Amino acid sequence: MAYNPLNHPFMDVNSDNPEYRDWMRYDAQGRPLITRHMGWTRFYEGCLNSPLREQIRERVREVVTNYPVDLMYFDGPYEGMDQEMHFCHSKYCEAAYQKARGKGVPLQDGSATLQDLIDYRQWMAEDVVVAFMHEIADMVRQVRDVPVVFNDTGLLSRGWRARAFRYVDGFMFEAADTPEQKLFNMRLGQSTGKVIWTYISSHTEYNSEHLKDKSVRGWYSAPVEGERLELDAAVATAAGAGYCYWGLNRLFYLPQDILEAPSIRSLKAVFDFAQENGRLLRSVSPRPQAGILTGAQTIQWYQGSFFVPQAYRNYYYGAWQLLKDMGYDAEPFLDYEMTAERLAGYKLVFVPNAACLSEAQCATLTTYVEAGGTLLATHLTSIADEFGRPRHDYGLSELFGASLKSPEPLEIPDLYLRVISSGKLIPQDPQVLLFQTAGSAEVIAETHDRGHRRTLGPAVVTRRQGKGRTIYIGSGLEAIYEETLNASLREYFRSLLDPILASTRTHEVEFRPGLMSQFASSQDTLVLHLLANTGNIWKKLLVQEEFLPVKDVRVRLRLPQGRSANSVALMWSGAKPAWRVRDGWVELTVPQVTMYEVIRVDLA
Ligand SMILES: [Zn+2]
């Protein structure tokens, strides 16, 4: 396997290489755009429209022509790193953009129109960066027919290369902040139909809060050790993703046999497990009941005045966490990869605060509901088009049975959700949209403003259309769940979703904080991964963490119609569980989950 960077920073600002001046990115004032990388030095960023592009392509050609590679892995393609979103005004970029769009590269001083920005960003992403990956992948395949894989950790970012996965065989998602978020990203990657790879331990960096320069990220030769590595690997195994160990550089300096280091020994056990059970683990597939529409367009384009870009992920991670904590498997997918065929596979489509949706995407969701699907949408969903141009009402207004009273949400302390059927008050998101019902919608909860002794109007409405149903929530309850793990919110979502999903659930695990399941099956085997993220990181991320076992977990797995169970095994611990079959379910109690366990049911 060959690692090839595609315009990774390499032009040291202290170098006197005269060619660099011709390869660099420049701002509108003609100053070079400079990046830090891992705290080592400062580099000029490279321009993909400059002659550097050919240099990179020819270097890749040299590798793939002259070396017997089985796989080509690419870091990038990059058009800038720290300054990626700073538009490049090099003479090459200006000339290329003039040729493509008949105008100059827009300024970022507020003078450009939204349309100018849309035109430029579309061009830079699709016609420059993604096109470069496409060109490289095609060239590789002409020279040597091997898989092409690249780094698309920025799949959910404003970066240029996110959509380049279309032209390769697979991609790397490096790391997330938590195991739950990592599993989400593995599954999101797989929803594109590509092979997914991940690093074990790349987020085990030093917690650098006190460092002045945050690009200095600590002890590369000794990443955080121990159980977090095992859990990280178990998450990748549960997702069915491939993985490699990120911290190999530390091993070069170990004076003793590397397996004498306890953390490496326990890490090796996870790789051994994946290898020994590779055939089984590759033979099973997840069976998601729900899809989670993930708002890549909203990340790219949404500009609302109450929108906090860094926290937008709390909505889609919150939807995922809620479904996981209710024991339902979901598959996150990208908004721009939505098709009617994909939706048809889901009992429920959860749309967490997808502000930016096109007319065609709204129509696809409507058709899904008419054909019998259930749509759960929240907050700003569909209030702008796919480029963030505001609509002033929901694009899905008719389907929701809701009409906006104000295009921006309100933030008020001490709001409660009053459930109409029970009168019960539970915490509401302090950021709510004001809307009124339209058509045949039924209000099932309203917002109670306790501090001002008033009701702010509907909070949750439901409506039937065709054979299906919508539930619209005019706030971000799922983000509140991600931020609080509040039990009354979880119970409220249960009351909304159990009637839709419970009858077809594939498995049931009693709720235990930190315990997360991932189900997969084949014709003859059911596999349930249990991941117990019960460590001691509560106040700060990235510190050393130890884990407590979760004891006596009651689990049920639904048997396919007409089948029974031959055997039940606990693959990770090797323990022999007591189990029985009752009413079409396999029932067992897992004595202990210390970070990881895999239940295997072989069908009769
Ligand atoms: Zn450029």
Side-chain angles (χ1 to χ4, degrees), residues 404-443:
L404 271 182
K405 283 167 88 171
S406 162
E408 290 286 359
L410 291 176
E411 290 188 349
I412 302 173
D414 233 19
L415 297 184
Y416 286 79
L417 196 74
R418 191 202 310 275
V419 181
I420 301 288
S421 59
S422 64
K424 205 172 161 191
L425 290 176
I426 61 174
Q428 165 68 303
D429 183 353
Q431 184 189 93
V432 295
L433 266 179
L434 295 186
F435 66 96
Q436 59 207 7
T437 55
S440 56
E442 180 195 351
V443 179

Side-chain angles (χ1 to χ4, degrees), residues 73 149-150 153 171-176 182-183 185-186 195-203 232-237 239-246 271:
Y73 175 76
V149 175
F150 83 124
T153 296
F171 60 90
M172 155 75 78
F173 173 81
E174 289 189 12
K182 183 152 185 171
L183 186 58
N185 282 285
M186 304 281 90
V195 171
I196 305 304
W197 235 15
T198 188
Y199 278 146
I200 301 307
S201 97
S202 83
H203 63 281
D232 209 26
V235 168
T237 305
Y243 45 85
C244 53
Y245 179 49
W246 175 81
F271 278 84

Side-chain angles (χ1 to χ4, degrees), residues 24-26 46-50 79 88-90 92-93 124:
M24 284 148 49
R25 301 175 80 229
Y26 293 91
C47 173
L48 278 182
N49 284 309
S50 78
E79 168 75 15
C88 172
H89 295 264
S90 77
Y92 298 105
C93 263
M124 178 52 77

